[in-house]
Amino acid sequence: MKHVYNFSPGPAALPKEVIQQAADEMTNWRGTGLSVMEMSHRGREFTEILATTKRDLRTLMSIPDNYKILLMQGGAIAENAIVPMNLVGKKPQPATIDFVHTGHWSEKSIEEAHKYAKVNVAASSEDKNFSYVPARDTWKLTPDAAYVHICTNETIGGVEFDFTPDVGDVPLVADMSSSILSREIDVSKFAVIYAGAQKNIGPAGLTIVIVREDLLGHALPICPSAFDWKLVADHDSMFNTPPTYPIYIAGLVFQHVLRQGGVAAMEKINIKKAALAYDYLDSTDFYINRVPAANRSRMNVPFFLKDESLNQKFVAEAEQHGLVQLKGHSSVGGMRASIYNAMPIEGVQALIAFMQEFEKKYA
Ligand code: PMP
């Protein structure tokens, strides 16, 4: 089989061992004669898969007992509506939501929230083309906001929070789609964490929501029942049929991460991988990354060729070297190497070796 290193931003590479195990179990899960895809979500086998998957996520992230784990559908973009529909109801209407605007994905959250609440952009890095995270002491928060929303890692801009903000008693909500499980965080500092699965967790189609229990039960009347967190929690993520196969794969990924030593071990290697990439980028002016060191994403490394007319050649020659899906997001151009948990350090080394060779050839 052709060996490639897959730098896709998502759906992204999964650990090879997980793909292999899924292949081995595809037609006959543990002697049942059934594929997981064919199992009733209420049957004994899948009930066990679901329970183990949730238990392992709780262990990996040290999720306190007063938080529910919801396994939903709709992705992070649906959560941009689901979050306000579940959280603003606790406040007199119209409620205000505070946002920190750090790039493309926080902007999407802001746009959607306008339908459900007053929006206050408490801080923005627009002045420098969304290349950094505004310092906490510059944020202009609303005293009784329904919640404060941040995107901990801007997948397109390659800008990542290097701190967990203290916002007092106001609930802190985080879109962690592209950084979940990549670094240790203190879940108790957040009221809600949500993430699409398709970067560090598993296939697209599964959305993880981690929510503090006291926030349940305030959904707006317009909130679809399937997206009312209280109903989802009361039905153990079985209010509707959950995305069973992605949940199963997520469970295999969680076990894989546990075997590697958990999130702390992932973080250690992610620091090394990111340092390799950025140290190299900083050592040459053939390639450019403008994000200040403290806010450089460990997961998504965007860079530009100084001579952009070489972009097509770069992508094509990288592919010939087995380095695939390096093209940057269409809104910003350039390149982007997404180096999630499943990217081994050898993949980053191979990328740098190719980039050096490419520079020699065309500089
Ligand atoms: N937020 C972030 C940080 C993302 O990276 C993405 C997807 N790349 C989304 C939201 C949107 O996710 P989805 O398309 O699964 O709804």
Side-chain angles (χ1 to χ4, degrees), residues 74-78 105 151 153 155 175 177-178 196 198-199:
I77 288 186
W105 292 112
C151 175
N153 183 57
T155 319
D175 174 358
S177 295
S178 51
Q198 65 270 24
K199 291 120 180 8

Side-chain angles (χ1 to χ4, degrees), residues 334-354:
M335 305 297 150
R336 172 174 45 165
S338 294
I339 50 174
Y340 298 114
N341 285 353
M343 174 61 66
I345 198 156
E346 291 78 12
V348 181
Q349 287 161 341
L351 174 64
I352 294 170
F354 164 73

